[in-house]
Amino acid sequence: QVQLVESGGGLVQAGGSLRLSCAASGSIFRINVMGWYRQAPGKQRELIAAILRDDNTNYGDSVKGRFTISRDNAENTVFLQMNNLNTEDTAVYYCAADVAGKNYWGKGTLVTVSL
């Protein structure tokens, strides 16, 4: 099993930046892909960024060019650097890990972007 704990959410003004962290523990050697999802009020959860074992990354169109996913293998942590935030980025952000096709989830961290 894999345990994930997100941190770094909070309130930020539009145009500002935040960095989210996701600390992984457990059977981390089995993780194939780690990703960040978000769910805004009244909307479905969407994948916004993913990083593969070979460090290739993918981004959703809504965040491309503004968000960057990265990781620190020594700390078993994945980051999401979010720049130029706007009010549409307000959501609960979840970290997820894919292990042989099964997703493990963190509890989420709330990001609120104000005008």
Side-chain angles (χ1 to χ4, degrees), residues 49-68:
I51 185 164
L52 284 65
R53 289 176 71 100
D54 61 4
D55 286 339
N56 278 329
T57 57
N58 293 299
Y59 296 93
D61 288 341
S62 60
V63 305
K64 203 172 291 184
R66 300 187 299 125
F67 292 10
T68 303

Side-chain angles (χ1 to χ4, degrees), residues 5 64 71:
V5 179
K64 203 172 291 184
R71 66 171 160 215

Side-chain angles (χ1 to χ4, degrees), residues 89-106:
D89 296 316
T90 294
V92 178
Y93 285 69
Y94 298 90
C95 178
D98 177 284
V99 177
K102 178 180 178 179
N103 260 0
Y104 291 86
W105 296 92

Side-chain angles (χ1 to χ4, degrees), residues 28-46:
I28 57 175
F29 61 93
R30 300 179 62 202
I31 295 174
N32 295 318
V33 183
M34 290 200 70
W36 285 97
Y37 290 73
R38 70 184 181 187
Q39 188 165 18
K43 294 188 177 181
Q44 289 188 331
R45 191 173 297 189
E46 62 170 336

